[in-house]
Amino acid sequence: PKFLERVPTPAADCSMSVRVAVRCRPFNEREVQLGAECVVSMQGNTTVLHDDKEGRPFTFDHSFWSHSRDDDNFASQEYVYECLGPQILDDVFAGYNSCLFAYGQTGSGKSYSMIGYGEEVGMIPRLCEDLFRRVRSIEAQKSGDGTSSWTTKVEVSYMEIYLERVRDLLAPSSDAAGYLRVREHVKSGPYVEGLSAHPVSNFDMVAALMDEGNKSRTVRSTSMNDVSSRSHAIFQIVFTQTQLQQRRGQTIKAERVSKLSLVDLAGSERSGAINAGKGDRMKEGNVINKSLSTLGKVISTLAERGKSAKKQHVPYRDSVLTWLLKESLGGNSKTIMLAAISPAHVNFDETLSTL
């Protein structure tokens, strides 16, 4: 296909509760060895998947072309963040719960987009660094105009969901018998009992905790990816803003609490295609696909509820992932799904399924 120059991306409707972006990665080593052909092209917000007959267009809020750095429309880590990150933080500071998902087949570049490698840091580190940069800027501004009664508190947690069980990635001493239970509070909603929360005051503290958690995450080798994430990883930030206000001669403390959930999902796949003869991998794949299917149903139902006056049941409890993220998906929340796809013809079916 012919790759067109980048068309300026129209501003996405930030009032929408759910927004979707797609990112296409370069060929990996396996695809190069197979002599893979590129079957994906992008123009503006439209992603086109090419088959033998004709192209199939899909339109999203954003389409990011990261296949080749030589292309004029190449989307770098920084460009992807500038399109998505500032709005996420605007929502968090405004008091909304926010959620960012990375979705796609095994080896499609989800972890690269969310976490990054080396100097090419992903969405999570950039969001955390920008969060503290904004806090310092607002504190300096309020200190300068004499309204320094505004304070903040930031706490982070890092967990993984493996085979529908929750494990604290920042407490790696927990063994198989130490999986944590998900419970539901009457007011605050679902939570993980016993999950550690770590107060942080700068980005370096966040980066250290993130590195510690990544080392504990469950990964396995499959025929499509030597280091495949076999669990859903959730990096959660609880951001509390406190403001002292004068009302009728009294000083009142007002609190605004926002929860930012950054989720690197396990890879979706056709189990038979990559797990043939591997019983454990087959079981993992089935559980992963079931939870991802539930996530799709939940987001689809929420989108339909926004268009229809008829109240529909949202199947949060069908999966630990969706139940745990109930408060970040529905109600007072903003959700972005970043779908990662392969450009290779050998992954046509998986790419089509993702789109």
Side-chain angles (χ1 to χ4, degrees), residues 7-182:
V7 176
T9 302
D13 184 358
C14 298
S15 64
M16 295 289 288
S17 294
V18 179
R19 290 183 288 148
V20 181
V22 175
R23 189 178 192 185
C24 183
R25 63 158 172 77
F27 289 136
N28 59 26
E29 185 177 346
R30 169 180 169 270
E31 292 164 347
V32 171
Q33 292 175 351
L34 292 173
E37 298 177 6
C38 184
V39 293
V40 176
S41 64
M42 292 181 173
Q43 182 181 13
N45 293 343
T46 301
T47 298
V48 182
L49 183 61
H50 300 266
D51 56 17
D52 295 335
K53 298 179 181 179
E54 58 183 12
R56 307 188 189 189
F58 299 85
T59 301
F60 303 97
D61 295 292
H62 299 277
S63 288
F64 299 119
W65 181 253
S66 302
H67 179 62
S68 173
R69 295 180 182 276
D70 296 330
D71 294 330
D72 294 332
N73 59 341
F74 177 77
S76 63
Q77 293 277 64
E78 182 179 4
Y79 179 80
V80 173
Y81 176 76
E82 289 301 323
C83 289
L84 302 177
Q87 184 58 48
I88 293 174
L89 290 182
D90 287 346
D91 293 335
V92 169
F93 275 83
Y96 290 99
N97 291 329
S98 296
C99 191
L100 172 63
F101 288 96
Y103 174 85
Q105 74 174 99
T106 296
S108 59
K110 301 181 299 299
S111 295
Y112 172 76
S113 292
M114 292 297 285
I115 300 172
Y117 299 113
E119 296 182 357
E120 297 187 1
V121 296
M123 289 291 296
I124 296 179
R126 289 176 187 271
L127 278 167
C128 294
E129 190 170 16
D130 208 7
L131 171 67
F132 287 107
R133 187 183 296 118
R134 287 198 186 196
V135 168
R136 291 194 300 269
S137 176
I138 295 175
E139 286 178 341
Q141 178 184 346
K142 290 185 177 293
S143 177
D145 60 20
T147 57
S148 56
S149 59
W150 182 80
T151 59
T152 62
K153 180 176 70 173
V154 182
E155 294 180 312
V156 300
S157 302
Y158 202 6
M159 71 191 96
E160 73 169 1
I161 301 174
Y162 176 66
L163 297 179
E164 292 294 284
R165 295 180 294 184
V166 181
R167 188 166 71 96
D168 190 343
L169 291 176
L170 298 180
S173 58
S174 58
D175 54 18
Y179 283 104
L180 305 179
R181 300 182 65 178
V182 180

Side-chain angles (χ1 to χ4, degrees), residues 280-295:
D280 291 342
R281 300 294 83 76
M282 183 74 76
K283 179 182 178 181
E284 289 173 350
N286 291 339
V287 174
I288 289 169
N289 288 340
K290 179 183 177 182
S291 66
L292 293 176
S293 176
T294 302
L295 174 63

